[in-house]
Amino acid sequence: MAVGKEEILKARTDKREYRRIVLPNSLQVLLISDPETDKCAASMDVSVGSFSDPDGLEGLAHFLEHMLFYASEKYPLEDSYSKYITEHGGRTNAFTASEHTNYYFDINPDGFEEALDRFAQFFIKPLMSADATTREIKAVDSENQKNLLSDGWRMNQLQKHLSVVDHPYHKFSTGNWDTLEVRPKSKGLDTRHELIKFYEEYYSANLMHLVIYGKEKLDKIQGLVEDKFKEIRNIDRSCLRFTGEPCTSEHLQILVRTVPIKEGHKLRLAWPITPEIHHYKEGPCRYLGHLIGHEGEGSLYYILKTLGWATGLCAGESDSTLEFSFFKVDIDLTDVGHGHMQDIIGLVFKYISLLQQSGVCRWIFDELSAVCETKFHYQDKIQPINYVVNISSNMQKYSPKDWLVRSSLPSNFSPDIIQMVLNKLSPNNVRIFWESKKFEGHTNMVEPWYGTAYSMERVTGSMIQEWIASSPNENLHLPAPNVFIPTDLSLKKENEKVKCPVLLRKSPYSTLWYKPDTMFFTPKAYVKIDFNCPHTSGSPEAEVLTSIFTHLLMDYLNDYAYYAQVAELHYGINNTDSGFQVTLVGYNHKLGILLETVVEKIASFKVKADRFSVIKEMVTKEYQNFKFQQPYEQAMYYCSLILQDRTWPWMEQLEILPHLEAEDLAKFVPMMLSRASLECYTAGNLESNEAESMIQHIEDVFFKGPNPICHPLFPSQHLTNRVVKLERGKNYIYPVDGLNPSDENSSLVHYIQVHRDDFMLNVKLQLFTLIAKQPAFHQLRSVEQLGYITVLLQRNDSGIRGVQFIIQSTVKGPGHIDLRVEEFLKTLRIIFMRCQMTNSRAMEIADGTLKFDRKEAEIAALRHLTQQELIDFFNEHIKVGAPQKRTLSVRVYGNPHSSEYASDISSSVQAGSIKIDDIFSFRRSQPLYGSFKGNFGHVKL
């Protein structure tokens, strides 16, 4: 039944229709009708999470999240839900938070009604079989194993560990084999019985919030929901509240030294505060986070950066629940900054003192409120699956009127409420966590779940006052008014309805692609400029220097351009395979001003020795931390290194870094820019003459004048993306030891190279992937339990298409996993259905394929595809033993499988298989596919 006529506030540009209903079983529902959508979606949020885990059954709520989607009484076939969703172009997932659990999916509109029925049955009569129970405990354990060497997970749990033992915040929420199998059994508990008891106790309709996103009219969607979800039982379970603070006096005024996995130093400060949810219209944490986290001149970060002590800072509310919350300030320290911990803490409190003395400023609140209002009313339309999750996750916290707005529109200026939170940020209740590998061997305690080493000492208010007094006297001050806030939000009138990007302009210096906004009608634009510079990719040294150059540019721009970021005008400068790229996206009104500043910084670039040292240190740590990547990420990296010509290994780049000096960069940059071509892509709320004017200005800066910075490329210098062409009928194997000896995980990337970009072959590959994806997950992960990370994906290397299995495991080595993948391919049955394709037009320019009507052309190709043609495709390219098949298996061996690695590298391979001993010798010996990039001969003006 619909409830009242209370208006749900929505953005001015939002054409979707909304309706709130409450079913007779007290299930609250938000219906969304969007006739333009190509995906429907649903999200069910249940107001119970890991805080409700019974003592001695840590991770039970998370385990239930894993188990719920296996089967139901109405649909008893295991994993049939996931299979149905995947076959109809969708995806499904879930997550467990501290106070709620969220289940969601999206799907093509033609499969939505049945998908809803299948989805609803999990909340009506789920089946949680004994067999699936054991297997899924292993999946939870594998998920936990993946996280054990992640600093984010480790530091989060350490902060929870140092809290009141009886408070749910203290709990370990993920669960593992020990908490869900070993310990319960030792106490005579049956985990499945406890799981069902937990479900029956908490999964009540009155604790659920549902969001449905459909293509039909609201009345039709409402009828579906009332029919499908009316049978969810309602036991009138009261909403759980976890009162009391998680941190008492013994957990405040502490300094915790802790040892991270990765290189680098961090300083984290946290204060318990009143959750902002109780004052979301006043936005105290948003206001304070905006100021303490500001990066403009005079800000805390600006001073720390100028002193050479920090490379990053963020501030704001964290770990928020309905009953408690924390305000946190996280600072990334340099090596020098690590030696100034007390000074940095002193400066943090000096800035907080500045806020106390300045009082709460109306103009700052009004400016922030104006930015938030513009952001809300001109928000980009996000994917339905993300939209429904965002809404359902917050429905319990907000009144229905604010379900869409939530806390995004602070509008009530209340100095008292902001001051109340500011007063909490005192030396008397701070928690300080200081991370560094330098503490190795100097700690005396260990956090039990992740094994994080730490030590703890008290820091009194008087000690911090001494740190404040002895910290440098710097000119801390509030930010200036923001000149980047847009005031012109009008839409441009482009007469021509351009469907695909057009080549608007071509000169010896640049090409300009242009695509006006004919779909979203928002006052935003996107500008991407690729500086293609041959000198950036000629050696590992050149690539490292280019990386330092782009980091330095961002560093130089930061105190000015941070204001643009605050005003939702974002920019980035990144190195690419062929040079570097400048990207701007946001409100178009002031975009040109920011672009001119970025261009001027590039043109007038000078190396500042002090900043070079800081950036060099930061880049060095990025390379050093590569060895701490997840093994599956390492396997994907090696796969790219094998396939992509003219790419350099990170080990060589790391070896070069210590020897680079500021003078090297000063010599390199003019040479790098001396030959260049610009590839520009503009889209959105820009007129064609504006786009041309922007690029003309850039050409004038770089290519014109008596001593131009850049000269056009010679015809021979146009850069290409070349990919190794694997030999037909061969299976290449690259075995390699995992880079982190402490990592228990091994990984496999099993890659099948298929073809060079071709519409019909693309469609066949997409259809095969769509069909095989869910059966692969079910067999290799759910049934065989090889590992939590088990995915089947398409792969596209500069227009060279293929498919890859990515699996990470602690239980089996990559050689065994490789055999299981082959076995799966032998048993795979092809089923046919229509799938929907999506491609990015910007990628067409980056790759050089320039097929902007790809989606339409591939759908047309799909309509003519026959069942036999797909079978022939499978038999030729995918089937085990196919004479045309080309396979590359990258095997990364973790610690438990080191003996298998030793055996693998010493033993001979089967006929038809070739072991790669040296990546670069292999690459040099192989033929390459032709490149799409650098070939504009087929483009007509």
Side-chain angles (χ1 to χ4, degrees):
M1 66 189 82
V3 177
K5 300 221 173 176
E6 183 180 26
E7 183 187 5
I8 295 172
L9 295 177
K10 68 175 187 176
R12 285 194 286 268
T13 53
D14 189 352
K15 297 175 184 175
R16 293 166 292 202
E17 293 184 334
Y18 298 85
R19 179 184 296 167
R20 176 198 175 211
I21 63 171
V22 179
L23 301 191
N25 58 3
S26 296
L27 173 65
Q28 294 212 49
V29 187
L30 178 66
L31 310 175
I32 306 172
S33 171
D34 179 5
E36 298 176 354
T37 189
D38 61 354
K39 280 281 191 288
C40 296
S43 172
M44 177 74 87
D45 196 82
V46 187
S47 298
V48 60
S50 58
F51 276 7
S52 300
D53 285 344
D55 291 337
L57 277 165
E58 292 87 355
L60 191 68
H62 178 220
F63 178 46
L64 174 56
E65 172 230 300
H66 274 242
M67 286 292 294
L68 195 68
F69 280 179
Y70 258 81
S72 63
E73 285 191 13
K74 184 173 181 180
Y75 300 99
L77 187 62
E78 191 176 288
D79 262 3
S80 62
Y81 163 74
S82 300
K83 184 171 184 288
Y84 181 84
I85 296 289
T86 305
E87 288 177 349
H88 289 80
R91 55 198 159 138
T92 176
N93 213 331
F95 65 85
T96 306
S98 55
E99 293 182 303
H100 64 106
T101 307
N102 198 287
Y103 304 87
Y104 55 96
F105 74 90
D106 70 358
I107 197 165
N108 293 338
D110 59 354
F112 191 44
E113 183 170 349
E114 184 175 331
L116 271 185
D117 191 49
R118 290 173 176 273
F119 184 71
Q121 290 303 312
F122 297 124
F123 305 99
I124 298 169
K125 287 188 177 176
L127 289 181
M128 294 180 267
S129 71
D131 178 50
T133 299
T134 304
R135 282 189 274 117
E136 210 54 35
I137 290 174
K138 290 179 180 176
V140 169
D141 187 67
S142 177
E143 181 177 355
N144 183 60
Q145 290 278 350
K146 170 185 70 74
N147 301 333
L148 288 178
L149 297 179
S150 163
D151 282 327
W153 285 92
R154 292 165 71 88
M155 297 309 158
N156 181 52
Q157 190 63 44
L158 179 59
Q159 292 183 41
K160 292 167 72 174
H161 178 64
L162 298 174
S163 66
V164 176
V165 174
D166 295 333
H167 196 283
Y169 178 70
H170 184 83
K171 291 180 176 181
F172 167 58
S173 59
T174 308
N176 58 28
W177 183 257
D178 196 40
T179 66
L180 295 170
E181 177 69 16
V182 178
R183 292 189 193 182
K185 268 191 178 171
S186 70
K187 297 175 186 174
L189 294 175
D190 180 293
T191 302
R192 178 171 173 267
H193 173 74
E194 296 299 321
L195 182 76
I196 293 168
K197 189 166 86 173
F198 186 89
Y199 174 86
E200 290 177 346
E201 184 176 352
Y202 293 116
Y203 274 52
S204 174
N206 72 302
L207 293 184
M208 297 180 183
H209 293 84
L210 176 66
V211 180
I212 302 291
Y213 194 112
K215 196 176 180 72
E216 306 290 343
K217 297 282 190 184
L218 285 174
D219 289 345
K220 173 74 181 294
I221 300 170
Q222 180 171 335
L224 273 179
V225 170
E226 289 171 341
D227 177 51
K228 307 295 184 190
F229 293 89
K230 65 188 177 189
E231 291 179 26
I232 298 177
R233 69 196 179 101
N234 176 21
I235 57 172
D236 280 324
R237 185 72 166 81
S238 57
C239 201
L240 299 163
R241 288 285 179 267
F242 303 95
T243 56
E245 287 291 332
C247 297
T248 59
S249 57
E250 68 175 291
H251 309 111
L252 304 174
Q253 292 190 306
I254 57 172
L255 171 61
V256 180
R257 290 176 171 85
T258 178
V259 182
I261 298 295
K262 291 187 173 183
E263 297 292 337
H265 323 283
K266 288 184 187 292
L267 199 54
R268 304 179 191 269
L269 292 81
W271 297 265
I273 59 164
T274 302
E276 185 171 81
I277 185 64
H278 301 301
H279 306 288
Y280 65 89
K281 294 288 188 187
E282 292 75 20
C285 292
R286 185 185 286 271
Y287 176 92
L288 294 171
H290 166 66
L291 292 175
I292 298 172
H294 209 280
E295 298 181 19
E297 187 179 338
S299 67
L300 173 61
Y301 175 67
Y302 177 84
I303 298 301
L304 293 175
K305 180 185 132 178
T306 304
L307 290 166
W309 292 354
T311 57
L313 183 150
C314 60
E317 188 179 30
S318 182
D319 294 339
S320 174
T321 72
L322 289 168
E323 301 297 334
F324 69 88
S325 187
F326 293 93
F327 189 93
K328 294 186 178 180
V329 177
D330 292 351
I331 307 170
D332 297 320
L333 306 178
T334 62
D335 290 346
V336 175
H338 176 70
H340 286 273
M341 180 275 291
Q342 295 179 3
D343 289 329
I344 292 170
I345 300 290
L347 284 167
V348 170
F349 280 104
K350 270 188 175 174
Y351 194 84
I352 291 170
S353 177
L354 167 70
L355 297 183
Q356 291 278 15
Q357 293 159 17
S358 305
V360 179
C361 298
R362 178 79 196 223
W363 76 266
I364 293 176
F365 181 87
D366 288 346
E367 186 180 87
L368 194 57
S369 179
V371 168
C372 290
E373 185 175 5
T374 305
K375 181 180 180 181
F376 175 75
H377 285 296
Y378 295 99
Q379 61 187 281
D380 294 328
K381 201 172 179 182
I382 63 173
Q383 291 181 337
I385 192 169
N386 297 326
Y387 195 56
V388 295
V389 170
N390 290 350
I391 297 170
S392 68
S393 300
N394 289 284
M395 285 166 72
Q396 183 202 352
K397 299 177 186 176
Y398 297 94
S399 66
K401 183 178 77 167
D402 290 330
W403 276 351
L404 306 182
V405 174
R406 302 188 292 282
S407 60
S408 62
L409 286 180
S411 53
N412 297 343
F413 179 62
S414 174
D416 290 346
I417 289 174
I418 295 172
Q419 189 66 47
M420 174 190 72
V421 177
L422 180 59
N423 291 342
K424 297 277 189 180
L425 311 187
S426 80
N428 298 325
N429 63 342
V430 71
R431 289 154 56 88
I432 304 168
F433 293 82
W434 189 11
E435 302 169 27
S436 175
K437 278 186 172 289
K438 293 195 178 215
F439 300 139
E440 243 168 342
H442 301 284
T443 58
N444 58 359
M445 288 179 272
V446 175
E447 187 280 315
W449 297 109
Y450 290 82
T452 307
Y454 73 98
S455 63
M456 186 173 73
E457 64 183 79
R458 307 293 301 177
V459 283
T460 63
S462 58
M463 288 170 64
I464 292 178
Q465 289 300 335
E466 289 176 13
W467 299 351
I468 295 170
S470 63
S471 63
N473 287 317
E474 298 292 337
N475 184 25
L476 291 164
H477 59 79
L478 296 177
N482 194 336
V483 297
F484 281 102
I485 293 176
T487 53
D488 180 1
L489 297 168
S490 61
L491 299 180
K492 312 286 183 180
K493 290 184 172 63
E494 271 296 318
N495 297 324
E496 201 177 342
K497 296 294 181 188
V498 180
K499 190 175 180 183
C500 295
V502 295
L503 185 58
L504 192 63
R505 184 174 183 274
K506 191 174 187 340
S507 76
Y509 317 110
S510 70
T511 54
L512 170 60
W513 297 91
Y514 170 70
K515 171 69 176 73
D517 178 13
T518 57
M519 183 182 297
F520 303 109
F521 305 107
T522 58
K524 296 179 182 180
Y526 174 80
V527 174
K528 178 173 74 73
I529 302 159
D530 273 306
F531 284 74
N532 293 315
C533 308
H535 292 298
T536 62
S537 56
S539 67
E541 184 177 27
E543 194 164 291
V544 173
L545 285 167
T546 306
S547 178
I548 295 175
F549 166 72
T550 58
H551 276 82
L552 274 172
L553 278 172
M554 292 291 287
D555 184 76
Y556 293 173
L557 283 161
N558 191 64
D559 53 337
Y560 169 77
Y562 182 78
Y563 284 94
Q565 305 262 51
V566 170
E568 296 296 316
L569 176 54
H570 303 284
Y571 73 104
I573 307 170
N574 300 288
N575 54 311
T576 64
D577 291 340
S578 56
F580 64 96
Q581 183 182 88
V582 175
T583 308
L584 292 91
V585 60
Y587 301 114
N588 58 276
H589 182 205
K590 309 287 179 77
L591 185 146
I593 298 169
L594 180 59
L595 179 60
E596 285 185 16
T597 305
V598 171
V599 167
E600 188 275 326
K601 283 288 183 191
I602 297 170
S604 63
F605 181 83
K606 295 286 184 291
V607 182
K608 299 174 185 174
D610 58 335
R611 298 313 299 162
F612 175 87
S613 298
V614 169
I615 297 302
K616 174 183 165 182
E617 178 191 312
M618 188 168 78
V619 171
T620 300
K621 286 172 184 169
E622 287 174 6
Y623 281 111
Q624 288 172 335
N625 285 327
F626 184 91
K627 62 179 176 286
F628 301 115
Q629 283 189 322
Q630 293 273 352
Y632 81 90
E633 294 172 314
Q634 294 176 32
M636 291 171 71
Y637 164 79
Y638 289 124
C639 191
S640 296
L641 196 62
I642 290 167
L643 293 171
Q644 294 170 7
D645 190 42
R646 295 184 66 79
T647 51
W648 312 107
W650 69 273
M651 297 81 83
E652 292 180 4
Q653 293 167 330
L654 181 58
E655 190 178 321
I656 286 161
L657 268 161
H659 309 290
L660 294 178
E661 301 297 339
E663 295 76 24
D664 297 309
L665 185 63
K667 291 175 188 171
F668 173 76
V669 171
M671 181 183 71
M672 173 188 74
L673 292 173
S674 66
R675 292 283 171 189
S677 73
L678 309 183
E679 204 160 59
C680 313
Y681 175 67
T682 62
N685 195 39
L686 288 173
E687 293 173 346
S688 56
N689 62 326
E690 287 181 281
E692 289 193 78
S693 176
M694 280 181 187
I695 304 313
Q696 184 61 61
H697 171 71
I698 296 170
E699 280 192 7
D700 291 345
V701 169
F702 287 102
F703 293 94
K704 304 295 171 65
N707 295 300
I709 298 166
C710 303
H711 296 85
L713 297 184
F714 292 116
S716 62
Q717 286 184 299
H718 283 277
L719 294 156
T720 58
N721 296 329
R722 305 292 300 274
V723 176
V724 166
K725 188 174 187 177
L726 300 177
E727 189 177 340
R728 295 183 187 277
K730 299 295 184 189
N731 175 33
Y732 298 92
I733 300 168
Y734 180 64
V736 62
D737 213 359
L739 294 168
N740 182 3
S742 302
D743 203 321
E744 303 273 305
N745 292 280
S746 291
S747 187
L748 169 78
V749 168
H750 180 100
Y751 166 68
I752 303 169
Q753 192 176 72
V754 179
H755 66 280
R756 192 170 185 260
D757 192 59
D758 172 271
F759 282 141
M760 183 54 82
L761 284 171
N762 293 349
V763 167
K764 292 174 183 177
L765 182 65
Q766 288 177 20
L767 196 49
F768 162 76
T769 309
L770 184 71
I771 292 165
K773 188 174 185 176
Q774 193 278 332
F777 181 87
H778 176 67
Q779 180 61 35
L780 301 173
R781 184 208 186 265
S782 300
V783 176
E784 299 188 27
Q785 285 297 316
L786 292 178
Y788 176 74
I789 295 174
T790 300
V791 290
L792 171 61
L793 299 169
Q794 289 187 76
R795 183 181 175 103
N796 180 0
D797 295 278
S798 303
I800 308 306
R801 305 300 185 105
V803 65
Q804 58 187 351
F805 292 81
I806 303 167
I807 302 173
Q808 182 166 293
S809 177
T810 55
V811 294
K812 297 292 182 183
H816 174 86
I817 299 170
D818 217 352
L819 293 174
R820 298 315 304 159
V821 169
E822 297 263 294
E823 199 59 37
F824 165 74
L825 288 171
K826 288 177 187 175
T827 62
L828 188 63
R829 301 282 182 90
I830 300 295
I831 310 162
F832 298 94
M833 60 152 288
R834 173 177 174 162
C835 64
Q836 183 167 339
M837 288 69 71
T838 60
N839 289 83
S840 162
R841 283 168 172 158
M843 281 298 294
E844 300 292 343
I845 294 170
D847 287 343
T849 45
L850 307 178
K851 297 173 183 173
F852 301 117
D853 59 346
R854 176 179 298 277
K855 178 178 174 180
E856 295 79 2
E858 289 182 352
I859 290 174
L862 179 64
R863 290 197 179 101
H864 296 97
L865 183 65
T866 67
Q867 182 176 355
Q868 188 57 51
E869 285 175 322
L870 189 56
I871 293 170
D872 293 343
F873 171 83
F874 177 79
N875 290 337
E876 180 179 352
H877 297 286
I878 310 293
K879 190 174 108 177
V880 175
Q884 299 295 307
K885 186 175 180 181
R886 297 173 291 201
T887 306
L888 168 63
S889 291
V890 178
R891 303 173 177 178
V892 175
Y893 291 82
N895 189 26
H897 308 118
S898 53
S899 59
E900 187 184 321
Y901 171 64
S903 169
D904 206 353
I905 58 171
S906 60
S907 61
S908 56
V909 294
Q910 296 176 343
S913 294
I914 298 172
K915 191 185 299 174
I916 299 173
D917 296 313
D918 178 79
I919 289 175
F920 308 104
S921 298
F922 171 77
R923 230 166 54 178
R924 283 191 293 269
S925 69
Q926 299 303 301
L928 301 173
Y929 280 100
S931 172
F932 289 104
K933 194 173 178 68
N935 174 23
F936 287 106
H938 62 289
V939 177
K940 292 183 180 177
L941 284 169

